[in-house]
Amino acid sequence: MIGLRALVPYAKPAPVAAPACELCGAPIGEAHRHVIELAHGPRGVRCACGACGILFDRGGSRFRTVPDRVLADPAFALAPTELGIPVGLAFLVRSGGTTLVGYPGPAGITDAELAEGTWERLVAATPLARELVDAVEALLVYGERGAQRLECYLVPVTRAYELAARLRASWQGIAGGDAAHAELAGFFAGLRGAR
Amino acid sequence: MTHEIEAEAAQIERILDELRAMVDPAAWLRVEHALRITTQLYGAGLRHMLEHAIAAGSDRDVLAVLADGDDLLASLLLLHGLHPLATESRVRRAVVELRAELGQEIEIIVAGKQRVSLRAPDGLGGGAMSARVAESIIRRAVEAAAPEVEAIDIAGLPPPPEPPLVQLRARKEAP
């Protein structure tokens, strides 16, 4: 009898792997840290254990740990038109002196360059802009439909991606529909509770 | 035919080992994923084929004997858990062949899907063959005949020898 030993592991359904740190392989739980491989941007997000999270907390290497903090600026008073951001929701990520702006929508995240002078206007408008850590944190600006002024939060960049994924999954039609707006309201309610 | 299948099985194993060493872990996960889908797709095809053969009026016993006698088909059916002979009969046959090959008595205590338990009342190995080598021949033969078996144990083996200590050269003191 001939055993096709090399193929035996593949003839069965895949074993359900226990969640593990994507850097060192240590087991991790439902709540865990994230580390970004800086060269790969959003695609470089890895789940990490506590030890690897501490290891890459300071920067200066290929990886950087995504901080946990969520900050809000209650004094933020810019109107949607003042920021040159056409929709009521955007997140900004800094990287090496440039700013990328992402608009979550039905196709995931639409990337754009920020209009000239907008970043400087943000720095003048909120202390959160100076707090923002490159690549791992995002500035989230949000205005409910018809809002006169925007809200501004500093969030882990993974939270911004999570919001984009939740919106994409619930988006209907052109404007997103009620489900997407409920998702959005739920996310910001959670954010206000978390800070 | 048998040798060709053996050579191809060994080739698959070697190429996969090389590939695993060559690519980064993320790429290896993709390779394994593709292999899993492909292998299972062919397995499902074989199962459908057998079901159609039975539905078309094939005699189950004749089909079992024909499939069992065809080395290539038997290997593929085994791989996908579709072999028409039960686990126990395949293990029994493998043990009969092993007795002849090793020239030693091997008893079957249990031969089930969960566990195959064997016993060598007169010990294993002797002459040029160590007990460890004999044990690995037995394990491989049982695995080949019944890959669905989860655990194989062989009673009556001597405990593994203590690892010998090696004298290292004493470090020279700096002058």
Side-chain angles (χ1 to χ4, degrees), chain A residues 1-15 22 43 46, chain B residues 2 9 12-13 28 32 35-36 39-40 71 75-76 78-79 93 140 144:
Chain A
M1 200 71 77
I2 302 133
L4 299 173
R5 285 203 312 156
L7 291 178
V8 169
Y10 307 114
K12 296 185 282 248
E22 291 180 273
R43 291 177 55 219
R46 313 270 179 91
Chain B
T2 305
I12 295 171
E13 203 165 347
W28 177 248
E32 288 204 298
L35 265 173
R36 192 167 282 124
T39 311
Q40 289 180 23
D71 281 338
S75 306
L76 289 171
L78 271 181
L79 180 65
R93 187 166 59 188
R140 282 204 171 217

Side-chain angles (χ1 to χ4, degrees), chain B:
Chain B
M1 190 63 184
T2 305
H3 288 295
E4 279 169 33
I5 306 166
E6 268 169 359
E8 279 181 6
Q11 203 183 1
I12 295 171
E13 203 165 347
R14 184 174 51 77
I15 292 173
L16 288 181
D17 282 347
E18 287 170 0
L19 201 56
R20 190 207 295 259
M22 257 190 224
V23 303
D24 69 61
W28 177 248
L29 281 181
R30 296 279 196 288
V31 170
E32 288 204 298
H33 195 179
L35 265 173
R36 192 167 282 124
I37 292 171
T38 312
T39 311
Q40 289 180 23
L41 193 66
Y42 276 91
L46 277 172
R47 197 182 65 239
H48 287 203
M49 191 83 135
L50 281 180
E51 286 165 1
H52 288 315
I54 301 286
S58 299
D59 184 310
R60 278 172 189 270
D61 294 335
V62 175
L63 199 59
V65 171
L66 287 176
D68 186 51
D70 180 318
D71 281 338
L72 175 59
L73 193 53
S75 306
L76 289 171
L77 292 176
L78 271 181
L79 180 65
H80 295 287
L82 298 170
H83 198 285
L85 297 183
T87 307
E88 193 184 345
S89 12
R90 282 179 276 123
V91 172
R92 285 198 183 286
R93 187 166 59 188
V95 168
V96 168
E97 285 165 15
L98 280 167
R99 282 189 198 121
E101 184 184 344
L102 299 174
Q104 273 158 332
E105 177 53 24
I106 299 163
E107 294 169 357
I108 297 176
I109 302 165
V110 183
K113 263 187 190 175
Q114 269 82 42
R115 198 163 69 95
V116 166
S117 195
L118 306 175
R119 201 168 78 89
D122 311 320
L124 281 175
M129 187 184 285
S130 76
R132 296 286 130 203
V133 173
E135 186 193 348
S136 100
I137 290 172
I138 294 175
R139 282 186 182 280
R140 282 204 171 217
V142 175
E143 279 167 16
E148 69 272 29
V149 170
E150 283 158 29
I152 302 168
D153 61 75
I154 307 167
L157 289 176
E162 292 278 320
L165 295 179
V166 176
Q167 172 71 56
L168 297 178
R169 201 153 50 104
R171 196 165 57 148
K172 277 196 185 142
E173 290 292 321

Side-chain angles (χ1 to χ4, degrees), chain A residues 63-148:
Chain A
F63 299 103
R64 182 85 198 246
T65 302
V66 178
D68 284 330
R69 64 179 181 169
V70 171
L71 303 174
D73 179 7
F76 194 77
L78 289 182
T81 48
E82 286 177 277
L83 268 187
I85 290 171
V87 291
L89 177 66
F91 66 86
L92 297 90
V93 180
R94 294 280 289 172
S95 174
T98 61
T99 310
L100 278 176
V101 55
Y103 304 109
I109 300 167
T110 307
D111 283 323
E113 299 257 333
L114 204 57
E116 186 91 21
T118 308
W119 177 251
E120 289 68 25
R121 213 167 304 148
L122 264 171
V123 171
T126 175
L128 293 181
R130 277 187 299 272
E131 275 287 319
L132 189 70
V133 177
D134 269 24
V136 291
E137 288 184 321
L139 221 50
L140 199 56
V141 286
Y142 168 58
E144 282 175 41
R145 275 182 284 193
Q148 292 304 302

